[in-house]
Every structure is written in structure tokens, then in C-alpha cells.
Amino acid sequence: MKLNPLRNRFALLAAPLLLSLGACATPFNANVSRFQAELPAPAGQTFAVVPQDPRNAGGLEFAQYAGVVAAQLQKVGYVPAASPQTADLVVQFDYGVDRGRDRLRNNGFADPFWGGGWGGGWGGRWGGGWGPGWGGWGPGWGAGVGPGWGPGWGAGWGGGVDVVTVYTSGIDLKIDRRADGKRLFEGKAETSSNSNRLPHLVPKLVEAMFTRFPGSNGETVKISIAPEKKKG
């Protein structure tokens, strides 16, 4: 069957950009943005981790993630305080995952916007979150390409087209000086994957946030964390 010329041109353009989803042990990648002002070098200052969203106060899930954040803060030299009222630094923490977006996959490959990140996603409730970004392209391509070009891709590349759901998850970290309430640090970390399991995602995002902490002011970087080695 002869393919539509327009479809052929799209296939030639898109093929080099497709990312493999078939790897079993791939690194965890996150986009991390960090800002700081007068953040003291770790020298035994005390801290307390509190929920940015009051609805998480007292929650067991938040307590688990707060423990992960606390462990990273201790690694860089800060000391847990007995309570937020006595801490030198108050650390506000939040986390979330969006409802997912459909993406095309052909023979183990995804469309060019897999892992694009920075979409409206989960962070919208904080006043715009990460902004419209690449995520805004997703629905248009998914709807336009899927039904019309799916058969063409299958015939052209020798396989069918699957639709996979990609979730955008992220964390939000803020550090204030308790004495005067001055904001010292703001950071966001975000990733896109086919998982929406926060107990797995949040620790990885926290690790990415604290990689080379506190980073350069105003810089957005891609942090890649190697997969854990299997025991035995």
C-alpha cells in the first residue's frame, strides 16, 4: 500500500527523535530548577520539614517523604530541630503527580515528546506551576497523529501503534529563615514517566533536588540518577 506523501515526510522527520522505552535499567532523569539568596553554608543549623499544603499536615504519606528530605538535609550538614518553632530553618515541602497524558508508541518507541516535562501538569495549584511548556503540545499531537497516522506508521515500520500514558510528577521545596521569615531557597524537580507511584517517584526526585545542592542560582539542569544495582 502506498503511503500518503505527507505521512512519509512526517515519519522521516520524527524517526530520529524517537526515544526507546524498552530499556530495563535506565537512569532516572529529572529537570531541576533552583534559586537561592543568602542560604547559609551547612554548619549545624537546625531545620524542620513542614507541609506546604496544610491538608498534608499530620499525614503518614507526608511524614514518609519528609523523612527522605530530612535525611538529605542531614547529609549536607544541617541538623533536625525539635520542632518548627525552635528551628533555624523552616523547610516547606510538597509533591504531586498529574492525571497523565496519552503518547504514541511504535514497536517500543515513543513519540518525540516523551519525557518533555515542564508541562502544566501537577504544579498548577501553586499559581501556574511549571508553565505551559512542552506539555501543551501533547494533546494536539496525540489527537492529530494517533487516529490518522497510526495505520501508516504500522505499515511503514512493520508494527502496530500503542498508546501509553505518561505522567508528570514533581516536588516543590522552599527554605525560610524562621527568625525573620526571609526566603533563602526555592527549588522544583520534575520528571515524566509511565509511572504515577509517588512512593517510588518522590524519593528519586528528592535525590535529584539534592544532587550538587544547592546548585547555581537561577539555573535549570537535568539531573540523571543511575539505577540501583541488583543485589547478587
Side-chain angles (χ1 to χ4, degrees):
M1 181 179 66
K2 185 176 180 181
L3 298 180
N4 184 294
L6 179 60
R7 293 180 183 177
N8 285 334
R9 287 199 296 272
F10 179 80
L12 291 174
L13 175 65
L17 299 176
L18 300 183
L19 302 180
S20 174
L21 301 179
C24 296
T26 57
F28 179 90
N29 298 312
N31 292 316
V32 179
S33 179
R34 294 177 287 208
F35 301 85
Q36 57 176 303
E38 302 179 23
L39 180 67
Q45 296 93 340
T46 59
F47 71 89
V49 182
V50 300
Q52 182 173 315
D53 187 342
R55 293 174 296 180
N56 290 329
L60 296 178
E61 183 181 23
F62 174 80
Q64 178 175 326
Y65 303 148
V68 177
V69 175
Q72 291 288 346
L73 286 166
Q74 291 178 78
K75 282 184 180 180
V76 299
Y78 296 110
V79 178
S83 69
Q85 291 72 31
T86 61
D88 297 318
L89 305 172
V90 176
V91 182
Q92 299 181 53
F93 180 69
D94 207 356
Y95 53 89
V97 62
D98 69 6
R99 297 181 179 179
R101 305 177 304 282
D102 288 340
R103 292 290 185 263
L104 297 178
R105 183 173 65 182
N106 184 299
N107 291 331
F109 293 91
D111 72 276
F113 297 100
W114 168 270
W118 308 113
W122 68 282
R125 56 179 166 159
W126 292 302
W130 296 91
W134 301 342
W137 290 40
W141 284 66
V145 177
W149 292 358
W153 285 18
W157 293 352
V161 174
D162 297 327
V163 177
V164 296
T165 302
V166 179
Y167 299 93
T168 300
S169 56
I171 62 171
D172 193 353
L173 186 76
K174 295 180 173 66
I175 301 177
D176 297 337
R177 186 164 56 209
R178 184 190 60 82
D180 58 5
K182 182 178 176 60
R183 177 64 46 83
L184 305 177
F185 176 87
E186 291 182 356
K188 293 180 183 291
E190 185 177 83
T191 190
S192 293
S193 70
N194 61 356
S195 173
N196 62 352
R197 296 185 296 113
L198 287 175
H200 168 74
L201 294 164
V202 171
K204 292 292 187 183
L205 288 164
V206 171
E207 184 177 352
M209 175 70 73
F210 282 92
T211 298
R212 299 185 292 276
F213 181 84
S216 300
N217 183 45
E219 184 179 52
T220 298
V221 295
K222 180 179 180 179
I223 302 294
S224 183
I225 300 173
E228 296 181 2
K229 294 182 179 180
K230 294 183 178 180
K231 295 182 180 180

